[in-house]
Amino acid sequence: MTAGRAEQEEPKMTFHPLDPLSGPEFTRAAAVLGRAHGVGEGWRFASIELVEPPRAAIAAFENDGVLPERRARAVVLERASNTTWVAVVSLDTDRVVEWGEVPGVQANFTVDEWEEADTALRAHPEVVAALAKRGITDLEHVFIDTWTYGDAVIPDKYRGLRLGWADVWVRAGAGANPYAGPVSGLHFVIDVNTMNLLEVEDTFTVDPPAVMGEYVPHLVPERIRKASTRPPLKPLDIVQPEGPSFSLDGNLVQWQNWSLRVGFNYREGMTLHQVTYTDAGRVRPIANRLSFAEMVVPYRDPSVDHFRRTAFDIGEWGLGFMTTSLELGCDCLGEIRYLDAVLHNSAGEPYTIPNAFCIHEEDNAVLWKHVDHDGGAEVRRMRRLVVSFHVTVANYEYLVYWRFYQDGNIECEVRATGIMVVTHLAAGQPHPNGTLVDERTYAPFHQHFIVARLDLDIDGPSNTVYRSETRIEPIDAGNPLGLALTQQNTPIETEGFDDFDWNTQRAWKVVNEKTPNGLGTPVSYKLVPGGAIPSFFHASAPALQRAQVIGHTVWVTPNDSGERWPCGEFVNQSGVDHGLPEWIQAGRTVRDTDVVLWYTFGIHHITRPEEWPVMPADIVSFWLKPVGFFDRNPSLDVEPSPAHCAPGMEHAGHDHADHDHAGHDHHDGAVADHQHENGHTAPDATSTEPRRTA
């Protein structure tokens, strides 16, 4: 498969104040805290991230070249006292400018703690004995997966400790799927600061059934492999012989009329900044910052194996720490440009995630088309720019795609794949809270709630969010056939929450009331909801109390740089949501001001046998669509494809091979890719990132 060209130019590395922290900056921040406060042995760096400069400082840099102070914020944990501290370090002056303890909280878990817990537990004699009691003596195939606690399920005798609870899994052999071999009824409680085993919970046993939980081809039984009747696919080559049409200058991406910056941090993973669209020569802001602020995954099974299983994948672990390298031809297909990401371990030492972000173009079928009655036709192919990253959080993968379209649309898509958690059953045992997916094996029902933090700037920061609903007008003299629909647009004046309504097809528009379009109406972008699911929790349920954001579809608040985490900054072992429900108590105005739209969407996962032993991607998305932002279709100027669709080309003159090549939409397994050799428009820029060839 051809994916690029080997020759390359030296990449530009233009600095910008929103660029993520570099390896030397992580090292410098850790060293400053070591000198000033003894942060070193016996401590953990739970997180280090860039303190993003305020808008005024960024504007001063872009207008006059004035460099804002480069700062890093760190959350550190002193293990012996189990205390959490927050620091801000000036990387320009090598000094600590803020330092303080945050009492009564637990910092996010680190990858090092997860790995160290597995090592400590598998070496503990009580663990070895508990496994041997069940006939498990080959510890090489044992996998121990430590989860965090919520306050409501912490045993009173362990309060005040940094706790983890662990599942146990056993592989059938070398390289086999560990999640196919749950050791049901056996869990360990561990003090993660000391790595001391606190308790072995051995509640019940189940004779392991004969399951087929393998998905790696050579481990799938021959009888299943031989039963396949799928014919082979012919090669699908995606070729852009002149290179892609976007440019990459450091972290700045420009394509067609779009411009945006790619950021990154330990918690949100990839972030997008300064999203603009150039309209008839005028650079128009659309979004200041786009990111995912929380991901809540409650399992809806009260059994002993699952009652504690509510994950805050962003707040407890961090999408940045879970980001994985992308592979050409597998995760991304086509003429790809990659960006690396840099993070740190719990000692504050930096490391690089190669190919963390994938940037490429995709053909996406027809953009617009019309065939006149006299036989004349105009058709344009749709091309889109995709910026993506993937994360692996234990058994699940989340694949995130931000897509930018030539007609001004923005789509955010998430694909969930990976392996479902399963539990073995005794013969005849009911499983009301899950689906049978294998012999005496069920996968519990659960939900994936993702909270997008949408800091939109529609033609500037002064915006108002409107609830937009369709109303059925009554049958009367003016509407005798009951045909009339009207659209009601109601401004949200005060911060708070709102819910999706199927009956009115409720959506939300972010409007700049001070900027009219050429038709005299205010410009706006609309959040078109997708995957808006109810929480299905009782109001008093502890999981909802610590994640109240999932109880409503949309929240609107004034923009505040200190209000980033909808469930509060410290959700590990939390019992109360210290984020959005507390912030909105201030009753601040959100009319004609800098607002943030928080959107909760996700997957109501009623598990299926077809998702075992590995889950095909479940897809959910939402859109940001211009509504009166432009005076007319902004993609009128898209050029026709050079071959077949250009004026004067006769379709009847194509041979079969050309028809087949130009007329099909192709998909790769991770994201729809519809590229055509004959579908190029002239490149508007040349990337300076290395071109990679598979």
Side-chain angles (χ1 to χ4, degrees):
M1 176 184 61
T2 302
R5 292 174 292 175
E7 67 270 17
Q8 62 188 52
E9 302 171 15
E10 286 298 318
K12 299 177 185 177
M13 293 302 293
T14 306
F15 171 78
H16 190 275
L18 290 173
D19 287 351
L21 294 176
S22 65
E25 287 177 319
F26 282 123
T27 300
R28 193 180 314 149
V32 170
L33 288 174
R35 292 194 304 268
H37 294 285
V39 178
E41 186 175 354
W43 293 72
R44 288 194 191 275
F45 285 88
S47 65
I48 308 173
E49 64 169 331
L50 173 71
V51 177
E52 294 175 9
R55 289 192 196 205
I58 293 173
F61 170 81
E62 292 175 339
N63 295 332
D64 304 316
V66 179
L67 286 171
E69 185 178 29
R70 191 81 166 161
R71 291 187 170 194
R73 184 179 189 270
V75 176
V76 294
L77 172 70
E78 205 284 310
R79 298 172 67 181
S81 62
N82 192 29
T83 54
T84 300
W85 301 76
V86 173
V88 175
V89 173
S90 168
L91 298 172
D92 294 338
T93 63
D94 284 352
R95 64 186 183 91
V96 178
V97 296
E98 293 181 24
W99 172 260
E101 181 185 353
V102 185
V105 302
Q106 286 294 331
N108 57 279
F109 262 38
T110 67
V111 176
D112 289 342
E113 288 173 301
W114 186 83
E115 293 176 344
E116 291 169 24
D118 175 77
T119 300
L121 288 170
R122 70 172 55 248
H124 198 285
E126 291 185 46
V127 172
V128 174
L131 292 170
K133 182 180 176 181
R134 292 167 178 254
I136 302 167
T137 56
D138 186 355
L139 295 183
E140 181 181 351
H141 292 152
V142 171
F143 169 64
I144 299 177
D145 184 11
T146 299
W147 286 58
T148 58
Y149 269 93
D151 179 78
V153 292
I154 295 176
D156 288 340
K157 58 186 173 182
Y158 301 137
R159 291 194 176 276
L161 300 179
R162 184 170 173 84
L163 288 177
W165 69 275
D167 282 323
V168 187
W169 313 84
V170 180
R171 291 180 172 87
N177 174 15
Y179 294 108
V183 182
S184 300
L186 182 63
H187 304 280
F188 308 121
V189 182
I190 184 173
D191 182 335
V192 185
N193 274 330
T194 63
M195 293 299 165
N196 289 332
L197 175 67
L198 299 175
E199 188 171 338
V200 175
E201 297 179 348
D202 195 340
T203 54
F204 69 93
T205 60
V206 174
D207 291 333
V211 302
M212 204 308 282
E214 305 305 330
Y215 58 93
V216 176
H218 75 276
L219 296 176
V220 175
E222 185 177 5
R223 61 179 174 81
I224 295 177
R225 295 201 309 270
K226 284 187 173 181
S228 174
T229 58
R230 187 185 304 277
L233 290 171
K234 295 180 180 180
L236 170 61
D237 292 339
I238 297 174
V239 181
Q240 291 183 272
E242 298 181 37
S245 300
F246 62 84
S247 66
L248 189 59
D249 179 0
N251 284 46
L252 174 65
V253 184
Q254 293 178 301
W255 176 78
Q256 294 282 279
N257 292 317
W258 289 103
S259 175
L260 59 106
R261 289 192 170 276
V262 180
F264 183 73
N265 63 63
Y266 80 98
R267 188 156 174 162
E268 297 162 295
M270 186 177 75
T271 57
L272 300 182
H273 306 257
Q274 296 185 316
V275 179
T276 66
Y277 189 98
T278 300
D279 178 18
R282 181 163 62 105
V283 177
R284 303 179 67 185
I286 294 173
N288 181 55
R289 195 177 191 278
L290 304 172
S291 69
F292 289 170
E294 193 54 87
M295 186 182 297
V296 185
V297 186
Y299 279 71
R300 308 311 297 267
D301 180 357
S303 70
V304 67
D305 279 336
H306 302 295
F307 76 97
R308 286 171 291 206
R309 201 184 300 276
T310 295
F312 287 68
D313 290 335
I314 291 178
E316 289 175 331
W317 295 99
L319 293 189
F321 286 137
M322 304 294 123
T323 296
T324 56
S325 295
L326 301 173
E327 185 174 349
L328 186 64
C330 299
D331 299 304
C332 301
L333 192 62
E335 187 79 12
I336 307 300
R337 301 295 179 265
Y338 291 104
L339 285 174
D340 297 342
V342 181
L343 270 177
H344 63 91
N345 61 20
S346 65
E349 301 163 338
Y351 64 91
T352 297
I353 305 170
N355 296 359
F357 315 125
C358 171
I359 305 166
H360 72 295
E361 292 173 283
E362 295 174 349
D363 182 278
N364 191 41
V366 171
L367 172 64
W368 55 262
K369 177 179 181 177
H370 183 64
V371 179
D372 286 328
H373 70 279
D374 62 1
E378 287 287 341
V379 61
R380 298 294 185 272
R381 297 293 301 178
M382 179 188 296
R383 194 168 312 181
R384 63 190 184 189
L385 176 75
V386 185
V387 185
S388 63
F389 79 117
H390 296 183
V391 301
T392 298
V393 187
N395 54 300
Y396 263 111
E397 270 76 20
Y398 297 98
L399 322 178
V400 180
Y401 306 91
W402 287 93
R403 299 189 179 120
F404 297 86
Y405 291 82
Q406 291 163 300
D407 60 357
N409 285 335
I410 302 172
E411 178 192 17
C412 178
E413 179 185 280
V414 178
R415 298 187 174 206
T417 178
I419 304 170
M420 297 183 296
V421 166
V422 296
T423 294
H424 292 330
L425 298 162
Q429 181 181 342
H431 48 88
N433 307 114
T435 301
L436 196 69
V437 297
D438 208 325
E439 179 69 23
R440 290 196 288 113
T441 301
Y442 81 95
F445 305 144
H446 57 282
Q447 296 164 294
H448 307 253
F449 292 96
I450 305 166
V451 184
R453 186 180 187 274
L454 308 175
D455 175 8
L456 300 181
D457 278 5
I458 307 306
D459 266 348
S462 294
N463 293 163
T464 301
V465 178
Y466 277 72
R467 180 191 302 115
S468 183
E469 301 181 280
T470 300
R471 176 179 173 178
I472 303 172
E473 292 299 323
I475 295 178
D476 56 20
N479 183 34
L481 299 179
L483 296 174
L485 291 180
T486 56
Q487 197 69 12
Q488 289 185 319
N489 294 289
T490 307
I492 296 174
E493 305 270 359
T494 306
E495 62 182 333
F497 52 78
D498 205 4
D499 291 306
F500 178 69
D501 187 340
W502 171 263
N503 294 310
T504 65
Q505 288 297 288
R506 183 176 294 172
W508 294 268
K509 292 195 299 185
V510 181
V511 181
N512 189 322
E513 297 177 302
K514 295 179 178 177
T515 305
N517 57 27
L519 304 173
T521 58
V523 298
S524 71
Y525 258 73
K526 179 168 69 172
L527 167 63
V528 181
I533 57 175
S535 75
F536 289 100
F537 273 112
H538 294 290
S540 61
L544 181 60
Q545 288 302 304
R546 62 192 293 238
Q548 294 182 44
V549 64
I550 70 174
H552 301 286
T553 311
V554 157
W555 301 65
V556 182
T557 62
N559 195 357
D560 184 328
S561 61
E563 296 179 355
R564 297 175 58 195
W565 314 121
C567 301
E569 179 172 10
F570 300 100
V571 296
N572 184 15
Q573 300 183 196
S574 68
V576 178
D577 187 334
H578 292 297
L580 279 165
E582 292 188 355
W583 302 337
I584 67 170
Q585 295 305 309
R588 296 166 294 184
T589 181
V590 287
R591 187 75 185 262
D592 193 25
T593 191
D594 190 2
V595 297
V596 173
L597 193 62
W598 310 78
Y599 176 55
T600 303
F601 69 109
I603 300 168
H604 186 65
H605 196 172
I606 303 302
T607 48
R608 302 180 295 128
E610 290 85 354
E611 297 169 327
W612 179 256
V614 65
M615 178 181 163
D618 203 342
I619 303 170
V620 66
S621 68
F622 67 89
W623 291 77
L624 297 170
K625 292 194 171 189
V627 178
F629 188 80
F630 302 101
D631 294 348
R632 60 189 56 82
N633 181 348
S635 64
L636 287 177
D637 60 346
V638 172
E639 294 289 336
S641 301
H644 309 324
C645 293
M649 298 297 291
E650 293 296 333
H651 290 270
H654 298 171
D655 61 25
H656 178 76
D658 281 344
H659 243 311
D660 186 69
H661 184 76
H664 288 74
D665 297 330
H666 304 291
H667 299 262
D668 101 75
V671 57
D673 255 307
H674 316 282
Q675 307 278 20
H676 299 274
E677 290 183 30
N678 295 325
H680 298 294
T681 57
D684 61 2
T686 301
S687 172
T688 54
E689 280 295 293
R691 293 171 179 148
R692 305 173 187 272
T693 301

